[in-house]
Structure formats: structure tokens, C-alpha cells
Amino acid sequence: MTVSRYYRPELDVLRFIAFLCVFFVHRMDLAPFDPVKQYWLYNISLVGNFGVPVFFLLSAYLITELLIREQEQTGSIHPKAFYLRRILRIWPLYFLVFFGWVLVTPFFFPEFKLPPIAWGAFSMFAGNIYISFNGWLPAYPLNPLWSISVEEQFYILIPLLAAYGGKTGLKTAAYLFLAVAYAVLVCYGLHPTDGFNSAWTNSFVQFQFFSAGILLSVYFKGWTPQWPITVRVLMIGAALGCWLTASIVCGIHADAPHLSNVTETVIGWMLILLGAVLLFLSLLGIPGQFLPKPLIYLGRISYGLYVFHISFYWLVYKTFGEELSEISQSLGIGEWRNTLGFIIVFIATVLLSMLSYSFFEKPFLQLKKRFTFVPSRD
């Protein structure tokens, strides 16, 4: 039986865009813009948090698409093979970064010390649940790994839903996830907080984006839009408008204090979801001539970009901040955080991600092919 390959390079570009959203917002943790003097820079950077839901939606869309094609082309879905593929793609780099920081912490960063329960939670891909109840880790570079926990929780469910429920089961589960997400958000709206907002790391809330990815795959049935570039650009602008409205008007600011009422909470998260869908659709089916190969490649290594960038932010802005400030002054650059520091972090993140992909991740990706029924990017 001939099995056709399924790969859409434009979605690698979308991965890189989602990473850039996260990259810009994490800079704000260590070198924030002034919300008054730099109003638009501040607010546009702030909605970078919503790049994470784009990752979730994209992941669900591609996995659903591949599982449906596996069923159609081979006659069945193989959950065990799916789990092995995900383990080979996610676990090696995840555990390298997590335990790498755990091992160096006592010697170089004692302030990052984690309680054993945190080790256990992140080792079992329940890091987001730990953060939801305990707040962010003192080990700042490990905090973004919460989203990997959410993805792994989704990965447990999706092949079983596809194998035993088919498209009907997938759709039913997706609508159920959406209903649960907004029921949970109503609860958050009824109980505002002036501290850490656990809605951002709540699996039930974030599963709405996986639901959207599932539904787009099931209903599109392989269809891709052929819209002109002007329409796509307008959709990108509309996506940004949705996110800015959710942030500025409805007060949805990721993990920031949750002071919105029920109406603002529900509408705000719906706008985040709509923005993620619009951004996804703005790239889906875009002609190849509009896809620069460097951006496709950067999307391909986006997993490494995501897990490494926060470590470089910490090292550059916190650990070597004084030295960089002196160098910047000697070069007449001025405020180094907006220029030299930002550039160093980006270049270092890209270089390490390239090395990681070529020499560490690829051997596992080669093994992954043994359990692949519908070839895709790797």
C-alpha cells in the first residue's frame, strides 16, 4: 500500500511566529516596557503570551490530521506507535533541559532550588498542575515547561479518541472540552483574584485550543484555503485586534491577577481563541513563494527555541547584566536590554537550537520513523 506524505511547510512558519510571540513577551519579565510611556509596545508585547495557545491549536490540528490519514490509509490507528513517536520527539530534550537545570542549581544557582514535589510533578508532566496550586517556580528558566505538561496530557487522550471513537468521537470530545473550558472560566470570573491567575496554567482552560485544532481538521477534511495575500494579511491584523481587545478591554493577561467578571472573562478567552484560529487560517495554504526557507527551518527547530530561550534571557539579563551594561556604555549603545542583550539572547537561542536539533534531537527523530505510518515533516 502506498502511503502519502503529509507536510505543510507554512505551519512551520506559524510555529516560528508563535515562538516569536512568546520570545517577545518573556523579555518583559526581565526588561519590561513602561505601560504609560510605551503604551503600544507594552500591550503588543504582552499579548505575546497568546502564542502558546497557537502552539496548542497547531499541534492538535496536525496530530488529528495525521491520525485520520493513518486510519484512512492503513485501516486502523495505532495508539502505542503514537505514544512512542511523541516520547521520542518530546522527552529527550525536555528531560535534558529540566534535569540539566536541576543538576547545576546547587552549584551555580542555589536560589533555583526546587522542592522534591516539584521535581516529581515536572517529571510526570504535571508541572502545570503544580504551578496552578503553588505559583511559578523559583527556577525561572524552567517555568515555560508547564505548557509541555499540558500538551502531554492531551497526547494521552487524542489517539484513544481517534482509535475508538473515530471522527464522531473526536468531535464529541472537542465540544465537551470546549464546554468544560468555559464552565471553568465562569468559575474564575465569579472569583476574581489579585494574585497569581491559575487559569493560564489550567489544563481544562487550555484544552479549548486543542479542541479548535481537532474541529478544524475534522471539518476541513484536508481542505486548505486559497485566499489572496491581502486577505491573509487582514486576518493577521484581525487576530492581533482580537488579542489586544482580550488583553486591554477584557483584562485577560495570562498569569496576571484575574480581576475580570464573568462576561469579560468569557468574551476575553473567546477572543483569544478566535485570534489563534485567525492566525492559523492566515497561514494555512499560503503559496510556497511566500514562505522564506529560513523561517521554515526556524519553525522546524521551534521546540528547541522554546525550551532554550528563557535560559538565555536569565543568563544575559540577570547573570551577566552588569558586564553587558559596561560593554554597551563603552560602545555608546545606551540601554543594552533593548539592543545588545536582546540580540545576544536571540542569536544564542537560535545557535543552540540548531546544534540541539542536528546533533541531539535528530537521532531520536530517526528512531521515530520506525513507528510512523503517515510520514510528515521529520
Side-chain angles (χ1 to χ4, degrees), residues 136-149:
W136 295 112
L137 300 176
Y140 176 77
L142 295 179
N143 281 316
L145 297 183
W146 73 268
S147 66
I148 309 299
S149 292

Side-chain angles (χ1 to χ4, degrees), residues 27 66 168 183 186 205 212 226 237 247 249 268 294 335 356 366 377:
R27 175 202 171 281
L66 290 170
T168 301
V186 168
V205 172
Q226 303 300 314
S247 178
V249 179
E335 178 48 66
S356 171
Q366 293 298 319
R377 179 187 63 195

Side-chain angles (χ1 to χ4, degrees), residues 37-161:
K37 296 180 180 179
Q38 299 166 300
Y39 181 83
W40 286 111
L41 276 175
Y42 173 83
N43 282 290
I44 291 174
S45 296
L46 195 61
V47 299
N49 283 306
F50 305 146
V52 173
V54 174
F55 276 123
F56 292 159
L57 186 153
L58 174 57
S59 178
Y61 174 86
L62 286 173
I63 285 172
T64 305
E65 196 69 25
L66 290 170
L67 289 173
I68 290 173
R69 289 167 185 266
E70 182 178 323
Q71 172 70 53
E72 293 173 347
Q73 296 181 30
T74 70
S76 61
I77 290 173
H78 309 79
K80 181 179 178 181
F82 174 87
Y83 294 137
L84 289 170
R85 292 196 301 271
R86 290 295 86 196
I87 287 171
L88 290 168
R89 182 66 190 105
I90 301 297
W91 289 22
L93 187 57
Y94 176 90
F95 285 115
L96 175 70
V97 172
F98 180 74
F99 285 109
W101 272 107
V102 169
L103 290 174
V104 303
T105 287
F107 304 102
F108 302 102
F109 304 95
E111 71 272 22
F112 286 176
K113 184 178 180 181
L114 297 176
I117 190 173
W119 295 3
F122 276 82
S123 298
M124 298 297 291
F125 295 101
N128 69 304
I129 299 173
Y130 176 86
I131 290 172
S132 293
F133 286 98
N134 299 279
W136 295 112
L137 300 176
Y140 176 77
L142 295 179
N143 281 316
L145 297 183
W146 73 268
S147 66
I148 309 299
S149 292
V150 177
E151 284 201 75
E152 289 292 281
Q153 293 157 25
F154 170 73
Y155 293 152
I156 292 172
L157 299 173
I158 184 66
L160 302 177
L161 292 170

Side-chain angles (χ1 to χ4, degrees), residues 174-245:
Y175 286 123
L176 178 61
F177 292 154
L178 281 169
V180 171
Y182 282 92
V184 171
L185 286 169
V186 168
C187 293
Y188 277 102
L190 290 170
H191 302 91
T193 70
D194 57 2
F196 170 75
N197 173 19
S198 62
W200 184 242
T201 53
N202 189 307
S203 299
F204 294 115
V205 172
Q206 294 293 348
F207 262 43
Q208 66 180 294
F209 303 104
F210 295 114
S211 299
I214 292 172
L215 294 172
L216 285 167
S217 175
V218 171
Y219 284 115
F220 278 12
K221 299 177 182 179
W223 173 79
T224 53
Q226 303 300 314
W227 297 314
I229 293 300
T230 51
V231 172
R232 296 178 183 277
V233 171
L234 289 173
M235 292 177 74
I236 293 172
L240 179 59
C242 286
W243 287 354
L244 286 170
T245 303

Side-chain angles (χ1 to χ4, degrees), residues 259-282:
L259 303 175
S260 306
N261 57 36
V262 171
T263 301
E264 291 170 339
T265 299
V266 170
I267 292 176
W269 278 94
M270 284 183 173
L271 286 169
I272 296 169
L273 177 58
L274 177 59
V277 170
L278 285 170
L279 187 59
F280 171 81
L281 293 177
S282 73

